[in-house]
Amino acid sequence: MPALNIEHKDNENSRIHLDPRDANTPDKWIERHPELIRLTGKHPFNCEPPVPLLLSKGFITPSSIHYVRNHGAVPHLSWDTHRLSIGGLVNKEVTLTMDMLEQLPSITLPVTLVCAGNRRKEQNMHKQTIGFNWGPGAVSTAIWKGVLVRDLLLNICGGVQKGARFVCFDGCDTLPNGTYGTSISAERALNPMNDVLIAYEMNGERLTPDHGFPVRLIVPGVIGGRMIKYLSKITVSDGRSDSWYHYHDNRVLPSIVGDAEMAKREQWWIRPQYTINELNINSVICSPAHGSVLPISDPQALNQEITISGYAYNGGCKKITRVEVTLDSGDSWLLTDLEHPEEWPEYQLSDDPFPRQRYWCWCFWSIKIPVRQLLNCKEMHVRAWDSTMNTQPKDLNWNLMGMMNNCWFRVQVDLAVSGRDNSELVLRFVHPTVPGPESGGGWMKPKGEEAEKDSVVHTKAPTPIVTTAIVKREPAETKAENAKPDAVSSKVSTVPSGANCYTADMVSKHSTKEDCWIIHGGKVYDCTKFLEEHPGGADSIVMNAGADCTEDFDAIHSANAREMLAKYYIGELVESMPEPSNDALVKSGRSGLLTPPSSSLSSPSETTKPFLDPKKWQDIALVEKIHLTHNTRLFRFAFGQPDQLLGLPLGNHVFLRVKTNDSTYVRAYTPTSLPDRQGHLDLVVKVYFKNTDPRFPDGGVVSQYLDNMSIGDSIALKGPIGSFTYNGQGQYAHSSGRKGKVTKIGMICGGTGITPMYQIMQSILVDKAQDATKLSLIFGNRTEDDILMRQDIEDTGNALGSDRFHLWHVLSEETPEDWKFGKGYVNKDHIKEHLFPKDSSAPDSDEDDLSSRIVLLCGPPPMINFCCLPVLTELYGKEFVENNVFCF
């Protein structure tokens, strides 16, 4: 039988692992790639690869980053016990084991799979559909090996009987509305030119669980929704599949059908003319990548060329014959270079009984354009043509399911300024959307939101075009008065009069099928009675029971579903229970990216063992990475169980261990998250890049290692380590035996030395009503851009009040013209005036009582040894330094 003699190794396979996000789902046993973009929350698993990563792999997509469409839990199947039955209108019904199937004559060929929802998010920006937000990455190509359906029906089953019009396929996955099934015409299945096969191998290996192990259907040139995974039954019939999913999925209904209720009421779902089978023609611009920039300040740059490139595909074995790009909204078109790897000799089948050139796969296009031509370009579009002279429409055609979106793909070209002093002129490329549940992300905005209209955009952290970098989430920089609630956060700003109040801890105790509460959008719902009625099944709710499911819920539900929640509303989420008072008003504002939820610093339960073990290295997994500044990152690591405490006393730190370049490195870090944070910790780290400081040309090994980690990667942690502990309400202890209670804490730190100080500041803020300790902070940095967590520090100070917190910045190098703080290095004058500023309201005796104060130091050794300690000794005496000064 026809075969390909090509070996495609998955060089991404080494990166797959068990993902902490799957820990509480039925898929917790499946290893997955950390860079896949999840589109429907934790479960079910629906994802696409970042387009730059996808295209970097070329024609054949590694199995580990191939897009995934799952409708529910992945069934845990066995090669040895799984069976495939074939029946209905056949002359001989048979049941095959996987070994029997593997021994039959097979065919091996490349096929591109595309979800019918590819590029759906563009439709959702125009008007919300009932589908989730696919970007342009719901397309992948693999080499599939299996047995032709035609051979099974004609040779193994002895032919089909009269009246056979359809071949129905059913999986064995358990879903709320039965198993996932569909049908194709018998004509398509039996035609030898259509290559419809039952596949058991993908890229030279057995199928993975997410891709249908042990066996699935492959129908080249057709949407992915017809290619049933976990295949268990084939039935030849005189009618179409009776699966609920065959009728309620993969349809393009007329645009007049505005909502699901109308579609059901008027029976649009059962009208066969709206069923999708063959793919439509489509093309996408992949490079320049979204968010990438092209510097143009240098006149020589205008004489260079930029390569614009992407992919195109079509259905029905119709060849893409040309791809065109326009820089003037379609007034003129440029012809691109087109490459069909499917035509290469290595992808031609040997011993093919029906020799012909197949076009089951995507192709790639590219064009070089002088940079100068982009100066007057506001946007670039791409369109493809096929052998029937069919092309893509200019405008988007909305439909209820958001499927088959194939309008011209449009990339906006912005003239922007970049750099610290806005001195560099760049071109910034903005794609329509960014895949996933977040609103927009590209130039398209949800209906009702205005897009930016500035002709010149100011960009702070541009992505060089040469890197084709994957877009990362940037911190919000809105002022407090304009702050908007986080789209996935459940913080309540005002509790309605008479409403019941619940803290997250209270809700967490209702986490079973018999007692199921959830949090959504700052409100608490008791969904226990709804479990059996939920169209998605009870499990998808129970796995989020007792927790905030705002992000997961919004990712896959419509506005109508959100309205249905109202029936189960029981109260409001608050950060802490309000004091009983007639005029009590619970408020919560977004005070900063790093500000943790306000909760009391209660001691962990005696029955709950903390995660940290000072004698044992343990792995923690990276679950989120946020770029705070050009060289500062927030790393969020998951550890242990979701409700487990880290076990790190305030003021202590942890060790991270890195093994790289045949060497082991250990560094100490202080989490910025408080000790009562369950299941994860936050580290704010300044990344010391190569060749940025002549004194350290190689940069920081550990910080660069952290910066290069991908979501899902693990690192070893051990602790707690430290000699100073803050126990709250002014009480402290030191390993030397020194302990006491103070009313004032002075802090002096430099650079990343802010992290232990910030943690103590936060603990005092959280316990503000009981902890009256006053704080002062002298914070030294080189430049204003180097100040870590500046907004969060200032927000903390504002929350404590000027009578409780005093802040003094010191910059050693560049200072803005309007800089109102210290200049140079931290010195005696700074310490004398700002460490314990004069409190005019305090009696003299209190001002003179040094025993009521301590000083905490954390920074580079020269600052500590040659400035802080000598100056403190001069100002307050040797005895004070020996007893009341502590270095981290």
Side-chain angles (χ1 to χ4, degrees):
M1 290 292 289
L4 294 178
N5 297 316
I6 296 180
E7 186 176 334
H8 281 274
K9 293 184 177 180
D10 185 351
N11 55 8
E12 292 290 327
N13 195 55
S14 62
R15 300 185 61 190
I16 66 170
H17 61 271
L18 296 179
D19 194 313
R21 291 171 289 184
D22 295 323
N24 295 318
T25 76
D27 293 347
K28 60 186 177 182
W29 56 281
I30 302 175
E31 294 184 326
R32 286 164 172 160
H33 197 284
E35 290 195 42
L36 290 172
I37 302 170
R38 296 188 177 222
L39 307 173
T40 52
K42 294 188 290 290
H43 187 78
F45 185 62
N46 291 287
C47 68
E48 63 180 272
V51 169
L53 176 63
L54 173 66
L55 268 291
S56 72
K57 302 303 175 183
F59 181 52
I60 301 300
T61 309
S63 304
S64 59
I65 64 168
H66 192 290
Y67 86 89
V68 177
R69 175 66 172 107
N70 288 340
H71 293 81
V74 176
H76 210 149
L77 304 177
S78 164
W79 178 273
D80 295 330
T81 60
H82 188 70
R83 299 292 185 268
L84 174 62
S85 64
I86 308 175
L89 298 178
V90 293
N91 292 324
K92 177 184 176 184
E93 295 190 347
V94 298
T95 298
L96 301 174
T97 68
M98 295 303 96
D99 286 339
M100 293 167 64
L101 186 70
E102 192 176 32
Q103 292 169 9
L104 295 175
S106 63
I107 182 174
T108 305
L109 76 165
V111 178
T112 293
L113 271 58
V114 184
C115 180
N118 193 37
R119 297 181 56 190
R120 179 191 284 139
K121 190 168 185 179
E122 296 166 44
Q123 294 215 21
N124 282 339
M125 294 298 99
H126 175 75
K127 178 183 175 182
Q128 184 63 46
T129 71
I130 61 173
F132 56 85
N133 288 318
W134 286 109
V139 51
S140 303
T141 301
I143 295 179
W144 304 93
K145 180 179 180 180
V147 180
L148 290 172
V149 171
R150 178 179 187 274
D151 291 344
L152 288 175
L153 297 180
L154 298 183
N155 300 332
I156 305 303
C157 296
V160 300
Q161 298 175 6
K162 185 178 180 180
R165 297 177 57 224
F166 297 94
V167 182
C168 305
F169 302 88
D170 289 282
C172 59
D173 41 344
T174 303
L175 301 173
N177 294 289
T179 58
Y180 198 90
T182 192
S183 56
I184 61 175
S185 68
E187 178 186 5
R188 180 182 295 276
L190 295 173
N191 189 330
M193 298 298 174
N194 288 332
D195 295 328
V196 181
L197 72 152
I198 305 302
Y200 49 81
E201 280 190 12
M202 176 184 187
N203 291 338
E205 298 179 337
R206 286 184 178 175
L207 303 178
T208 63
D210 277 326
H211 294 295
F213 177 84
V215 65
R216 70 173 298 169
L217 175 66
I218 295 294
V219 189
V222 166
I223 62 167
R226 299 284 165 246
M227 306 192 200
I228 302 301
K229 299 190 290 188
Y230 326 115
L231 187 65
S232 62
K233 184 169 64 173
I234 301 175
T235 307
V236 179
S237 171
D238 60 353
R240 296 177 176 86
S241 168
D242 60 2
S243 169
W244 184 92
Y245 296 95
H246 179 74
Y247 291 95
H248 292 84
D249 200 357
N250 300 305
R251 307 229 158 190
V252 175
L253 302 181
S255 59
I256 60 170
V257 184
D259 57 63
E261 286 74 14
M262 177 182 177
K264 180 179 180 180
R265 183 176 64 253
E266 299 181 6
Q267 299 186 331
W268 288 96
W269 296 121
I270 63 174
R271 305 185 190 189
Q273 62 266 40
Y274 302 119
T275 304
I276 311 169
N277 283 303
E278 291 187 353
L279 291 165
N280 57 358
I281 190 170
N282 214 335
S283 62
V284 165
I285 298 173
C286 300
S287 181
H290 172 70
S292 60
V293 298
L294 178 65
I296 58 173
S297 294
D298 185 350
Q300 293 299 320
L302 301 179
N303 299 322
Q304 304 298 315
E305 290 185 324
I306 178 176
T307 299
I308 303 171
S309 61
Y311 69 73
Y313 61 78
N314 201 12
C317 206
K318 295 185 285 289
K319 180 180 180 180
I320 298 290
T321 54
R322 71 179 186 262
V323 176
E324 300 171 319
V325 168
T326 178
L327 306 180
D328 53 17
S329 299
D331 288 344
S332 62
W333 292 89
L334 304 171
L335 194 62
T336 69
D337 294 325
L338 198 55
E339 186 174 46
H340 284 275
E342 201 171 7
E343 296 177 345
W344 297 349
E346 57 263 43
Y347 293 108
Q348 302 304 305
L349 274 64
S350 59
D351 304 322
D352 189 349
F354 302 98
R356 80 272 193 195
Q357 179 57 59
R358 295 164 167 84
Y359 291 102
W360 299 134
C361 299
W362 62 358
C363 59
F364 303 105
W365 59 268
S366 64
I367 184 172
K368 291 185 177 182
I369 294 176
V371 173
R372 190 177 300 276
Q373 278 190 248
L374 296 180
L375 292 181
N376 296 318
C377 174
K378 299 298 183 183
E379 54 195 31
M380 57 178 73
H381 303 76
V382 65
R383 70 181 181 188
W385 294 75
D386 69 14
S387 55
T388 67
M389 299 305 144
N390 183 37
T391 189
Q392 297 169 242
K394 177 181 179 180
D395 298 318
L396 177 150
N397 292 296
W398 186 89
N399 63 87
L400 180 62
M401 298 200 75
M403 291 187 163
M404 306 294 273
N405 181 36
N406 71 331
C407 59
W408 296 356
F409 192 87
R410 167 184 160 195
V411 171
Q412 190 169 291
V413 183
D414 292 334
L415 183 62
V417 288
S418 179
R420 185 171 301 168
D421 54 357
N422 289 331
S423 61
E424 185 175 19
L425 201 61
V426 300
L427 293 176
R428 186 182 68 168
F429 301 92
V430 185
H431 286 219
T433 64
V434 173
E438 296 81 8
S439 175
W443 62 260
M444 293 189 77
K445 306 295 180 186
K447 198 168 185 179
E449 290 186 18
E450 283 194 41
E452 295 179 7
K453 297 180 180 179
D454 293 343
S455 59
V456 178
V457 178
H458 295 258
T459 178
K460 285 196 172 183
T463 304
I465 196 170
V466 293
T467 64
T468 318
I470 299 167
V471 177
K472 301 187 184 296
R473 198 177 86 182
E474 294 294 337
E477 296 184 352
T478 53
K479 294 183 179 180
E481 61 266 28
N482 295 323
K484 296 180 180 180
D486 193 318
V488 298
S489 174
S490 280
K491 294 184 179 180
V492 60
S493 57
T494 304
V495 176
S497 176
N500 294 323
C501 297
Y502 303 96
T503 65
D505 184 61
M506 295 167 67
V507 176
S508 69
K509 294 177 172 59
H510 302 267
S511 58
T512 65
K513 190 172 184 178
E514 293 72 28
D515 184 17
C516 179
W517 291 14
I518 65 169
I519 299 168
H520 179 272
K523 300 182 184 299
V524 181
Y525 302 86
D526 182 353
C527 296
T528 310
K529 295 181 180 179
F530 184 58
L531 295 181
E532 298 305 321
E533 304 173 26
H534 184 234
D539 289 344
S540 60
I541 300 180
V542 174
M543 71 174 58
N544 290 299
D548 188 334
C549 66
T550 305
E551 182 175 6
D552 289 354
F553 186 96
D554 288 347
I556 58 176
H557 290 89
S558 65
N560 290 335
R562 288 191 285 274
E563 292 175 3
M564 291 174 62
L565 271 180
K567 180 180 178 182
Y568 305 97
Y569 169 80
I570 58 174
E572 298 288 324
L573 178 71
V574 295
E575 295 181 349
S576 61
M577 292 303 291
E579 296 291 332
S581 170
N582 292 332
D583 58 351
L585 187 65
V586 179
K587 293 187 177 180
S588 170
R590 189 182 187 282
S591 60
L593 181 65
L594 307 181
T595 303
S598 296
S599 59
S600 59
L601 288 175
S602 56
S603 300
S605 169
E606 293 181 359
T607 60
T608 303
K609 184 180 179 182
F611 176 75
L612 283 175
D613 186 335
K615 298 182 179 180
K616 179 182 178 182
W617 289 101
Q618 302 181 85
D619 283 342
I620 56 177
L622 182 66
V623 294
E624 188 171 12
K625 178 165 57 175
I626 301 174
H627 289 214
L628 302 180
T629 69
H630 67 288
N631 63 354
T632 309
R633 312 285 184 260
L634 183 147
F635 300 95
R636 178 160 292 171
F637 291 95
F639 60 80
Q641 300 301 317
D643 60 349
Q644 192 172 13
L645 298 178
L646 181 63
L648 182 71
L650 276 170
N652 282 210
H653 52 265
V654 295
F655 280 139
L656 294 185
R657 183 179 67 188
V658 168
K659 294 183 178 180
T660 182
N661 300 327
D662 299 322
S663 299
T664 300
Y665 302 87
V666 176
R667 298 289 186 271
Y669 290 97
T670 303
T672 54
S673 48
L674 287 174
D676 65 342
R677 186 71 64 87
Q678 296 178 330
H680 70 270
L681 63 95
D682 293 343
L683 297 178
V684 172
V685 178
K686 182 175 180 179
V687 182
Y688 296 92
F689 293 106
K690 291 181 178 180
N691 303 319
T692 56
D693 189 331
R695 298 172 300 171
F696 311 102
D698 294 330
V701 175
V702 176
S703 65
Q704 289 182 97
Y705 182 93
L706 290 170
D707 191 49
N708 289 326
M709 289 180 69
S710 299
I711 301 301
D713 287 351
S714 296
I715 195 170
L717 171 140
K718 185 168 74 171
I721 308 296
S723 55
F724 177 88
T725 301
Y726 183 72
N727 295 317
Q729 299 182 27
Q731 300 179 77
Y732 69 91
H734 191 267
S735 59
S736 64
R738 289 179 286 170
K739 60 182 179 179
K741 183 174 182 179
V742 295
T743 60
K744 297 180 180 180
I745 300 177
M747 302 173 171
I748 307 176
C749 64
T752 55
I754 186 63
T755 52
M757 311 298 184
Y758 179 78
Q759 191 185 58
I760 293 172
M761 289 160 52
Q762 281 295 294
S763 72
I764 292 174
L765 174 60
V766 168
D767 200 25
K768 179 181 177 181
Q770 285 74 38
D771 194 335
T773 308
K774 296 182 178 181
L775 299 172
S776 58
L777 171 65
I778 300 175
F779 191 8
N781 284 281
R782 295 174 60 191
T783 68
E784 188 176 20
D785 286 346
D786 290 326
I787 301 176
L788 299 185
M789 303 183 293
R790 182 175 183 179
Q791 186 62 52
D792 296 274
I793 295 168
E794 293 175 358
D795 287 347
T796 300
N798 292 334
L800 286 171
S802 58
D803 59 326
R804 295 275 306 274
F805 182 81
H806 176 75
L807 173 63
W808 187 252
H809 290 291
V810 181
L811 298 184
S812 61
E813 294 184 5
E814 302 174 13
T815 56
E817 291 183 4
D818 58 348
W819 184 247
K820 61 181 180 180
F821 298 101
K823 299 179 180 180
Y825 293 100
V826 175
N827 57 38
K828 178 181 176 180
D829 290 338
H830 298 145
I831 295 174
K832 182 178 181 179
E833 185 175 353
H834 298 286
L835 183 61
F836 294 115
K838 181 72 174 179
D839 186 351
S840 59
S841 65
D844 292 341
S845 59
D846 181 64
E847 284 297 305
D848 296 334
D849 184 9
L850 294 179
S851 64
S852 65
R853 314 176 193 180
I854 58 173
V855 178
L856 306 179
L857 306 176
C858 189
M863 185 186 85
I864 302 298
N865 297 325
F866 302 125
C867 172
C868 297
L869 293 178
V871 169
L872 290 171
T873 302
E874 180 182 347
L875 293 176
Y876 303 110
K878 183 178 180 181
E879 183 178 352
F880 177 83
V881 172
E882 290 177 347
N883 296 317
N884 294 60
V885 177
F886 302 92
C887 298
F888 289 98

